[in-house]
Amino acid sequence: MTDSLAPAPLTLERMRADVADLLGEPPEAVGDDDHLMDLGLDSMRVLGLVLAWGNTGIALEFGHLAEHTTLAGWWQVVQKLQARARVDA
């Protein structure tokens, strides 16, 4: 039996869409290996993403994302945290 109130897992597509929305761009404008700060993402916006994405059930912290500058790097972090959350569940 699944818990219908459980948060949906964070996906790369959602991450891309959320970043693009903050930048006022379409999702396809944000490439996996683009330097997100060069696209205009700043630390306050990253903090907002951390808070929103943390609601998906992973223990995401600002420092996790601050160590990486690309969506691909962030996705690797999220995948590790999701795997850890599954083990801990």
Side-chain angles (χ1 to χ4, degrees):
M1 178 177 226
T2 60
D3 182 356
S4 62
L5 298 177
L10 186 57
T11 65
L12 178 58
E13 292 77 20
R14 176 181 169 189
M15 292 174 67
R16 184 183 320 280
D18 289 351
V19 168
D21 185 55
L22 287 177
L23 298 173
E25 298 288 343
E28 58 271 10
V30 180
D32 289 353
D33 297 315
D34 290 344
H35 191 290
L36 297 172
M37 302 334 149
D38 287 349
L39 295 179
L41 202 62
D42 59 37
S43 59
M44 291 305 293
R45 291 177 177 168
V46 173
L47 183 56
L49 292 170
V50 167
L51 294 173
W53 294 343
N55 290 331
T56 65
I58 58 174
L60 186 62
E61 297 176 11
F62 180 83
H64 292 135
L65 300 186
E67 296 176 8
H68 304 278
T69 60
T70 66
L71 194 59
W74 287 5
W75 178 236
Q76 288 179 351
V77 169
V78 167
Q79 287 180 306
K80 288 177 186 174
L81 292 172
Q82 286 175 333
R84 186 178 308 150
R86 283 191 296 272
V87 169
D88 292 343

